[in-house]
Amino acid sequence: EGRQMIVNIIDHWSLHDALPVPEASLPLELPAVKSYQPTGTGESPLAAIPDWVDIWYDAATGHAVPASAERPAPHYVRARRETNTMPQWAGSCWYYLRYLDPKNDAAIAAPEALKYWGGPDLYVGGAEHAVLHLLYARFWHKVLFDLGVVPTPEPFTKLFHQGIILGEDGEKMSKSRGNVANPDDIIRSHGTDTLRLYLMFLGPLEAMKPWNPSGIEGVHRFLHKIWRECLGADGRPNAKLSADVSATPADLAKLLHETIKKVGEDIEGLRYNTAISAMMIFVNAWQKAPAIARRDALAFLQLLAPFAPHIAEELWARVGGTDIAPSAGSAPWPAYDPAKLVATEQKVVVQVNGKKRAELLLPVGAAEADAVAAAQAHAEVAPHLAGKQIKRIIYVPGKILNIVAA
C-alpha cells in the first residue's frame, strides 16, 4: 500500500509511541491472504491477521518481522501496525484531481495540468452527499488550496441534486420493504437503451419519481418505431430515406430544426424528459411523411445517441452515417437553422355561433377578410353558413375566428 502507515510502539503491553513508517521502506505491502473477512469489532479486516499486525519493528529502517518469530536484534521493539490509517473517504475526496495527471509519481498532479483542466464543471449527486462526499471533498480541496497545491479554492463549479426513484408503492426503494426493481431484469427483457430512456423520461431529474413498469413499454415502442423508419424488413435502409437533401417536407424540416434546438438546450439544462418528448413528437411526424432526406435522418440519430447510444450507433452504421463520421457520437453536433424556426403559417380555430367547426392553417398576419374567405370555402364550415347572413365576426389572428351567423 503506497500511503504512509503508522506503527504503534508497545512497551510493557501499553501504547508507548506512534511512529510513521520511514518513507524509504514504502510501499508497505499488504499480506497475501485468501479473503478479508470482517472482524465483527469495527476494526479493519487487517486487524484479524496477527502475523501482519503484531511485529518486531526497527524504527530506524522500518523493517519488521512477525511478533511470533524471534526478536531479530535488541534494538527491535514490539509494535502493532495501525490498520486504519485514513478514513474511508480519503481516496474519494481528491480522485477528480488525480484523473488530470494519473501517472505523476511526484505530485497529485502537475501545476500545469491543474491550471489547464481546472475542476469538474458539474457535480451531480443526491442530497445526502451534501454532508458526506461533497462536504469532505470541499474540506480537502480547501486545505490543498491553502497549501498551494491546487489553484482554485473550490473543487466544483456547479452543484445539481438529483432526485430519487421511488418504488411502486411510492416509498424509497429498499430491500427491507421489498420494493426494489432490478435493472438487470429490464435489460434482459427490453435492452439497455429502453432502460436508459425510461429512467430519463420518468420526470424532471431533480424530482422524486415513482417506478412504474407499465411506462417501459411506451419507450420500447418508441425505439422500435425509429428502427422501422430507418430500416426496412430486410434490414436495409428504408425506401423513405432519400439521398436528395430536399426530400424532407417543409413542415418536417421545420420540426427537425425545432427538435435540434430543443434537445440541445434541454441537454444543457439537464431536462432529459422534455428532450425525449420532443424526439417522440418528431418521430410521429416522420412516420407520417412520405419521405425524408437521409441527411436529416442521420441528424436525428445524433440527437438520440446520448439517450439510446446502442440503437443510435447501430442505425448510424446501417443507414450510412459512417460516410460522415465513424460514429454518431464523434460527428459534429447538428446545428439548427434559425430561419427555419420562423413560422410562416398559424393555426386558427374556426367557430360558427360559438361551436368549433374546423381548424385552418393561414399565413402569419392573414387579414380578417382572407380568414373569413378561407373559412367559407372550408368543407366543414360552409354547410353551417349556407343560407345564413353573417352578423358578426370575432377574429384574433393566429388563434380564433368566430363567425356569428343567422
PDB file of all heavy atoms in Angstrom, residues 177-202:
ATOM      1  N   ARG A 177     -38.133  -3.228   2.423  1.00  0.00           N
ATOM      2  CA  ARG A 177     -39.531  -3.006   2.034  1.00  0.00           C
ATOM      3  C   ARG A 177     -39.953  -3.942   0.906  1.00  0.00           C
ATOM      4  O   ARG A 177     -41.142  -4.056   0.609  1.00  0.00           O
ATOM      5  CB  ARG A 177     -39.743  -1.557   1.580  1.00  0.00           C
ATOM      6  CG  ARG A 177     -39.597  -0.523   2.684  1.00  0.00           C
ATOM      7  CD  ARG A 177     -40.093   0.835   2.177  1.00  0.00           C
ATOM      8  NE  ARG A 177     -39.983   1.859   3.206  1.00  0.00           N
ATOM      9  CZ  ARG A 177     -38.987   2.719   3.304  1.00  0.00           C
ATOM     10  NH1 ARG A 177     -38.005   2.668   2.425  1.00  0.00           N
ATOM     11  NH2 ARG A 177     -38.952   3.616   4.257  1.00  0.00           N
ATOM     12  N   GLY A 178     -38.986  -4.550   0.256  1.00  0.00           N
ATOM     13  CA  GLY A 178     -39.311  -5.463  -0.840  1.00  0.00           C
ATOM     14  C   GLY A 178     -39.806  -4.764  -2.082  1.00  0.00           C
ATOM     15  O   GLY A 178     -40.514  -5.357  -2.890  1.00  0.00           O
ATOM     16  N   ASN A 179     -39.445  -3.485  -2.267  1.00  0.00           N
ATOM     17  CA  ASN A 179     -39.944  -2.727  -3.420  1.00  0.00           C
ATOM     18  C   ASN A 179     -38.832  -2.337  -4.388  1.00  0.00           C
ATOM     19  O   ASN A 179     -38.965  -1.379  -5.147  1.00  0.00           O
ATOM     20  CB  ASN A 179     -40.688  -1.472  -2.942  1.00  0.00           C
ATOM     21  CG  ASN A 179     -39.766  -0.502  -2.200  1.00  0.00           C
ATOM     22  OD1 ASN A 179     -38.637  -0.842  -1.848  1.00  0.00           O
ATOM     23  ND2 ASN A 179     -40.266   0.695  -1.948  1.00  0.00           N
ATOM     24  N   VAL A 180     -37.734  -3.077  -4.356  1.00  0.00           N
ATOM     25  CA  VAL A 180     -36.598  -2.774  -5.229  1.00  0.00           C
ATOM     26  C   VAL A 180     -36.842  -3.350  -6.625  1.00  0.00           C
ATOM     27  O   VAL A 180     -37.292  -4.496  -6.761  1.00  0.00           O
ATOM     28  CB  VAL A 180     -35.292  -3.344  -4.641  1.00  0.00           C
ATOM     29  CG1 VAL A 180     -34.141  -3.146  -5.616  1.00  0.00           C
ATOM     30  CG2 VAL A 180     -34.980  -2.680  -3.307  1.00  0.00           C
ATOM     31  N   ALA A 181     -36.559  -2.558  -7.653  1.00  0.00           N
ATOM     32  CA  ALA A 181     -36.649  -3.020  -9.039  1.00  0.00           C
ATOM     33  C   ALA A 181     -35.236  -3.326  -9.539  1.00  0.00           C
ATOM     34  O   ALA A 181     -34.357  -2.470  -9.448  1.00  0.00           O
ATOM     35  CB  ALA A 181     -37.297  -1.956  -9.917  1.00  0.00           C
ATOM     36  N   ASN A 182     -35.041  -4.526 -10.041  1.00  0.00           N
ATOM     37  CA  ASN A 182     -33.712  -4.934 -10.511  1.00  0.00           C
ATOM     38  C   ASN A 182     -33.534  -4.502 -11.961  1.00  0.00           C
ATOM     39  O   ASN A 182     -34.238  -4.982 -12.853  1.00  0.00           O
ATOM     40  CB  ASN A 182     -33.566  -6.451 -10.385  1.00  0.00           C
ATOM     41  CG  ASN A 182     -32.147  -6.912 -10.676  1.00  0.00           C
ATOM     42  OD1 ASN A 182     -31.339  -6.169 -11.232  1.00  0.00           O
ATOM     43  ND2 ASN A 182     -31.832  -8.125 -10.301  1.00  0.00           N
ATOM     44  N   PRO A 183     -32.593  -3.586 -12.240  1.00  0.00           N
ATOM     45  CA  PRO A 183     -32.415  -3.137 -13.624  1.00  0.00           C
ATOM     46  C   PRO A 183     -32.003  -4.259 -14.568  1.00  0.00           C
ATOM     47  O   PRO A 183     -32.274  -4.204 -15.767  1.00  0.00           O
ATOM     48  CB  PRO A 183     -31.319  -2.068 -13.515  1.00  0.00           C
ATOM     49  CG  PRO A 183     -30.622  -2.345 -12.221  1.00  0.00           C
ATOM     50  CD  PRO A 183     -31.666  -2.917 -11.320  1.00  0.00           C
ATOM     51  N   ASP A 184     -31.336  -5.280 -14.041  1.00  0.00           N
ATOM     52  CA  ASP A 184     -30.910  -6.395 -14.896  1.00  0.00           C
ATOM     53  C   ASP A 184     -32.105  -7.075 -15.557  1.00  0.00           C
ATOM     54  O   ASP A 184     -32.010  -7.555 -16.697  1.00  0.00           O
ATOM     55  CB  ASP A 184     -30.112  -7.416 -14.088  1.00  0.00           C
ATOM     56  CG  ASP A 184     -28.776  -6.871 -13.621  1.00  0.00           C
ATOM     57  OD1 ASP A 184     -28.313  -5.887 -14.232  1.00  0.00           O
ATOM     58  OD2 ASP A 184     -28.201  -7.413 -12.665  1.00  0.00           O
ATOM     59  N   ASP A 185     -33.230  -7.126 -14.856  1.00  0.00           N
ATOM     60  CA  ASP A 185     -34.433  -7.758 -15.428  1.00  0.00           C
ATOM     61  C   ASP A 185     -34.931  -6.966 -16.644  1.00  0.00           C
ATOM     62  O   ASP A 185     -35.337  -7.547 -17.656  1.00  0.00           O
ATOM     63  CB  ASP A 185     -35.539  -7.845 -14.370  1.00  0.00           C
ATOM     64  CG  ASP A 185     -35.157  -8.754 -13.203  1.00  0.00           C
ATOM     65  OD1 ASP A 185     -34.291  -9.634 -13.403  1.00  0.00           O
ATOM     66  OD2 ASP A 185     -35.716  -8.580 -12.102  1.00  0.00           O
ATOM     67  N   ILE A 186     -34.915  -5.639 -16.532  1.00  0.00           N
ATOM     68  CA  ILE A 186     -35.361  -4.790 -17.638  1.00  0.00           C
ATOM     69  C   ILE A 186     -34.389  -4.900 -18.810  1.00  0.00           C
ATOM     70  O   ILE A 186     -34.800  -4.947 -19.973  1.00  0.00           O
ATOM     71  CB  ILE A 186     -35.485  -3.321 -17.195  1.00  0.00           C
ATOM     72  CG1 ILE A 186     -36.393  -3.212 -15.963  1.00  0.00           C
ATOM     73  CG2 ILE A 186     -36.019  -2.447 -18.331  1.00  0.00           C
ATOM     74  CD1 ILE A 186     -37.780  -3.727 -16.177  1.00  0.00           C
ATOM     75  N   ILE A 187     -33.106  -4.950 -18.509  1.00  0.00           N
ATOM     76  CA  ILE A 187     -32.107  -5.061 -19.572  1.00  0.00           C
ATOM     77  C   ILE A 187     -32.287  -6.363 -20.336  1.00  0.00           C
ATOM     78  O   ILE A 187     -32.195  -6.395 -21.572  1.00  0.00           O
ATOM     79  CB  ILE A 187     -30.690  -4.954 -18.974  1.00  0.00           C
ATOM     80  CG1 ILE A 187     -30.452  -3.537 -18.447  1.00  0.00           C
ATOM     81  CG2 ILE A 187     -29.628  -5.332 -20.006  1.00  0.00           C
ATOM     82  CD1 ILE A 187     -29.170  -3.376 -17.668  1.00  0.00           C
ATOM     83  N   ARG A 188     -32.572  -7.441 -19.618  1.00  0.00           N
ATOM     84  CA  ARG A 188     -32.758  -8.734 -20.288  1.00  0.00           C
ATOM     85  C   ARG A 188     -34.013  -8.740 -21.166  1.00  0.00           C
ATOM     86  O   ARG A 188     -34.023  -9.310 -22.259  1.00  0.00           O
ATOM     87  CB  ARG A 188     -32.832  -9.858 -19.241  1.00  0.00           C
ATOM     88  CG  ARG A 188     -31.479 -10.350 -18.758  1.00  0.00           C
ATOM     89  CD  ARG A 188     -31.620 -11.623 -17.948  1.00  0.00           C
ATOM     90  NE  ARG A 188     -32.333 -11.403 -16.698  1.00  0.00           N
ATOM     91  CZ  ARG A 188     -31.750 -11.096 -15.557  1.00  0.00           C
ATOM     92  NH1 ARG A 188     -30.428 -10.977 -15.499  1.00  0.00           N
ATOM     93  NH2 ARG A 188     -32.455 -10.904 -14.456  1.00  0.00           N
ATOM     94  N   SER A 189     -35.078  -8.098 -20.700  1.00  0.00           N
ATOM     95  CA  SER A 189     -36.350  -8.167 -21.434  1.00  0.00           C
ATOM     96  C   SER A 189     -36.495  -7.073 -22.493  1.00  0.00           C
ATOM     97  O   SER A 189     -37.118  -7.291 -23.531  1.00  0.00           O
ATOM     98  CB  SER A 189     -37.529  -8.075 -20.456  1.00  0.00           C
ATOM     99  OG  SER A 189     -37.501  -6.842 -19.741  1.00  0.00           O
ATOM    100  N   HIS A 190     -35.916  -5.891 -22.247  1.00  0.00           N
ATOM    101  CA  HIS A 190     -36.149  -4.767 -23.147  1.00  0.00           C
ATOM    102  C   HIS A 190     -34.873  -4.096 -23.663  1.00  0.00           C
ATOM    103  O   HIS A 190     -34.946  -3.289 -24.584  1.00  0.00           O
ATOM    104  CB  HIS A 190     -37.005  -3.695 -22.459  1.00  0.00           C
ATOM    105  CG  HIS A 190     -38.402  -4.127 -22.169  1.00  0.00           C
ATOM    106  ND1 HIS A 190     -38.733  -4.951 -21.119  1.00  0.00           N
ATOM    107  CD2 HIS A 190     -39.570  -3.861 -22.819  1.00  0.00           C
ATOM    108  CE1 HIS A 190     -40.043  -5.159 -21.115  1.00  0.00           C
ATOM    109  NE2 HIS A 190     -40.571  -4.513 -22.132  1.00  0.00           N
ATOM    110  N   GLY A 191     -33.743  -4.388 -23.059  1.00  0.00           N
ATOM    111  CA  GLY A 191     -32.489  -3.795 -23.514  1.00  0.00           C
ATOM    112  C   GLY A 191     -32.074  -2.581 -22.699  1.00  0.00           C
ATOM    113  O   GLY A 191     -32.880  -1.929 -22.041  1.00  0.00           O
ATOM    114  N   THR A 192     -30.779  -2.288 -22.777  1.00  0.00           N
ATOM    115  CA  THR A 192     -30.211  -1.187 -22.000  1.00  0.00           C
ATOM    116  C   THR A 192     -30.752   0.167 -22.437  1.00  0.00           C
ATOM    117  O   THR A 192     -31.032   1.035 -21.601  1.00  0.00           O
ATOM    118  CB  THR A 192     -28.678  -1.195 -22.141  1.00  0.00           C
ATOM    119  OG1 THR A 192     -28.173  -2.466 -21.739  1.00  0.00           O
ATOM    120  CG2 THR A 192     -28.047  -0.124 -21.274  1.00  0.00           C
ATOM    121  N   ASP A 193     -30.903   0.357 -23.755  1.00  0.00           N
ATOM    122  CA  ASP A 193     -31.388   1.659 -24.236  1.00  0.00           C
ATOM    123  C   ASP A 193     -32.790   1.967 -23.721  1.00  0.00           C
ATOM    124  O   ASP A 193     -33.096   3.112 -23.364  1.00  0.00           O
ATOM    125  CB  ASP A 193     -31.384   1.689 -25.761  1.00  0.00           C
ATOM    126  CG  ASP A 193     -29.982   1.878 -26.335  1.00  0.00           C
ATOM    127  OD1 ASP A 193     -29.105   2.347 -25.589  1.00  0.00           O
ATOM    128  OD2 ASP A 193     -29.774   1.552 -27.507  1.00  0.00           O
ATOM    129  N   THR A 194     -33.646   0.969 -23.677  1.00  0.00           N
ATOM    130  CA  THR A 194     -35.001   1.174 -23.162  1.00  0.00           C
ATOM    131  C   THR A 194     -34.940   1.595 -21.699  1.00  0.00           C
ATOM    132  O   THR A 194     -35.654   2.522 -21.279  1.00  0.00           O
ATOM    133  CB  THR A 194     -35.835  -0.106 -23.303  1.00  0.00           C
ATOM    134  OG1 THR A 194     -36.031  -0.390 -24.691  1.00  0.00           O
ATOM    135  CG2 THR A 194     -37.203   0.048 -22.650  1.00  0.00           C
ATOM    136  N   LEU A 195     -34.095   0.933 -20.921  1.00  0.00           N
ATOM    137  CA  LEU A 195     -33.976   1.285 -19.507  1.00  0.00           C
ATOM    138  C   LEU A 195     -33.473   2.713 -19.344  1.00  0.00           C
ATOM    139  O   LEU A 195     -34.007   3.487 -18.536  1.00  0.00           O
ATOM    140  CB  LEU A 195     -33.039   0.302 -18.801  1.00  0.00           C
ATOM    141  CG  LEU A 195     -32.778   0.593 -17.313  1.00  0.00           C
ATOM    142  CD1 LEU A 195     -34.071   0.511 -16.514  1.00  0.00           C
ATOM    143  CD2 LEU A 195     -31.742  -0.369 -16.747  1.00  0.00           C
ATOM    144  N   ARG A 196     -32.450   3.079 -20.099  1.00  0.00           N
ATOM    145  CA  ARG A 196     -31.913   4.443 -20.018  1.00  0.00           C
ATOM    146  C   ARG A 196     -32.997   5.470 -20.346  1.00  0.00           C
ATOM    147  O   ARG A 196     -33.192   6.448 -19.603  1.00  0.00           O
ATOM    148  CB  ARG A 196     -30.746   4.613 -20.998  1.00  0.00           C
ATOM    149  CG  ARG A 196     -29.459   3.921 -20.610  1.00  0.00           C
ATOM    150  CD  ARG A 196     -28.485   3.919 -21.781  1.00  0.00           C
ATOM    151  NE  ARG A 196     -28.174   5.264 -22.228  1.00  0.00           N
ATOM    152  CZ  ARG A 196     -27.094   5.957 -21.838  1.00  0.00           C
ATOM    153  NH1 ARG A 196     -26.236   5.412 -20.999  1.00  0.00           N
ATOM    154  NH2 ARG A 196     -26.871   7.174 -22.291  1.00  0.00           N
ATOM    155  N   LEU A 197     -33.697   5.255 -21.453  1.00  0.00           N
ATOM    156  CA  LEU A 197     -34.743   6.198 -21.856  1.00  0.00           C
ATOM    157  C   LEU A 197     -35.848   6.277 -20.811  1.00  0.00           C
ATOM    158  O   LEU A 197     -36.332   7.369 -20.486  1.00  0.00           O
ATOM    159  CB  LEU A 197     -35.341   5.771 -23.193  1.00  0.00           C
ATOM    160  CG  LEU A 197     -34.671   6.268 -24.475  1.00  0.00           C
ATOM    161  CD1 LEU A 197     -35.397   5.706 -25.676  1.00  0.00           C
ATOM    162  CD2 LEU A 197     -34.673   7.786 -24.533  1.00  0.00           C
ATOM    163  N   TYR A 198     -36.241   5.127 -20.287  1.00  0.00           N
ATOM    164  CA  TYR A 198     -37.328   5.113 -19.319  1.00  0.00           C
ATOM    165  C   TYR A 198     -36.964   5.919 -18.075  1.00  0.00           C
ATOM    166  O   TYR A 198     -37.764   6.723 -17.579  1.00  0.00           O
ATOM    167  CB  TYR A 198     -37.668   3.672 -18.931  1.00  0.00           C
ATOM    168  CG  TYR A 198     -38.640   3.590 -17.782  1.00  0.00           C
ATOM    169  CD1 TYR A 198     -39.963   3.995 -17.936  1.00  0.00           C
ATOM    170  CD2 TYR A 198     -38.231   3.149 -16.529  1.00  0.00           C
ATOM    171  CE1 TYR A 198     -40.852   3.948 -16.884  1.00  0.00           C
ATOM    172  CE2 TYR A 198     -39.113   3.100 -15.466  1.00  0.00           C
ATOM    173  CZ  TYR A 198     -40.432   3.494 -15.645  1.00  0.00           C
ATOM    174  OH  TYR A 198     -41.295   3.460 -14.591  1.00  0.00           O
ATOM    175  N   LEU A 199     -35.756   5.721 -17.580  1.00  0.00           N
ATOM    176  CA  LEU A 199     -35.331   6.429 -16.366  1.00  0.00           C
ATOM    177  C   LEU A 199     -35.299   7.935 -16.594  1.00  0.00           C
ATOM    178  O   LEU A 199     -35.666   8.718 -15.715  1.00  0.00           O
ATOM    179  CB  LEU A 199     -33.955   5.932 -15.919  1.00  0.00           C
ATOM    180  CG  LEU A 199     -33.895   4.493 -15.404  1.00  0.00           C
ATOM    181  CD1 LEU A 199     -32.464   4.101 -15.099  1.00  0.00           C
ATOM    182  CD2 LEU A 199     -34.770   4.312 -14.177  1.00  0.00           C
ATOM    183  N   MET A 200     -34.867   8.355 -17.801  1.00  0.00           N
ATOM    184  CA  MET A 200     -34.797   9.792 -18.082  1.00  0.00           C
ATOM    185  C   MET A 200     -36.167  10.382 -18.384  1.00  0.00           C
ATOM    186  O   MET A 200     -36.390  11.578 -18.192  1.00  0.00           O
ATOM    187  CB  MET A 200     -33.841  10.043 -19.245  1.00  0.00           C
ATOM    188  CG  MET A 200     -32.387   9.842 -18.885  1.00  0.00           C
ATOM    189  SD  MET A 200     -31.246  10.249 -20.235  1.00  0.00           S
ATOM    190  CE  MET A 200     -31.293   8.712 -21.165  1.00  0.00           C
ATOM    191  N   PHE A 201     -37.082   9.541 -18.854  1.00  0.00           N
ATOM    192  CA  PHE A 201     -38.403  10.014 -19.248  1.00  0.00           C
ATOM    193  C   PHE A 201     -39.380  10.075 -18.070  1.00  0.00           C
ATOM    194  O   PHE A 201     -40.462  10.643 -18.192  1.00  0.00           O
ATOM    195  CB  PHE A 201     -38.952   9.092 -20.346  1.00  0.00           C
ATOM    196  CG  PHE A 201     -40.164   9.637 -21.053  1.00  0.00           C
ATOM    197  CD1 PHE A 201     -40.163  10.887 -21.626  1.00  0.00           C
ATOM    198  CD2 PHE A 201     -41.319   8.871 -21.153  1.00  0.00           C
ATOM    199  CE1 PHE A 201     -41.272  11.391 -22.287  1.00  0.00           C
ATOM    200  CE2 PHE A 201     -42.444   9.363 -21.807  1.00  0.00           C
ATOM    201  CZ  PHE A 201     -42.410  10.629 -22.375  1.00  0.00           C
ATOM    202  N   LEU A 202     -38.984   9.516 -16.932  1.00  0.00           N
ATOM    203  CA  LEU A 202     -39.887   9.464 -15.777  1.00  0.00           C
ATOM    204  C   LEU A 202     -40.332  10.845 -15.315  1.00  0.00           C
ATOM    205  O   LEU A 202     -41.450  11.024 -14.840  1.00  0.00           O
ATOM    206  CB  LEU A 202     -39.203   8.736 -14.613  1.00  0.00           C
ATOM    207  CG  LEU A 202     -39.307   7.210 -14.594  1.00  0.00           C
ATOM    208  CD1 LEU A 202     -38.466   6.643 -13.456  1.00  0.00           C
ATOM    209  CD2 LEU A 202     -40.751   6.761 -14.455  1.00  0.00           C
TER     210      LEU A 202
END
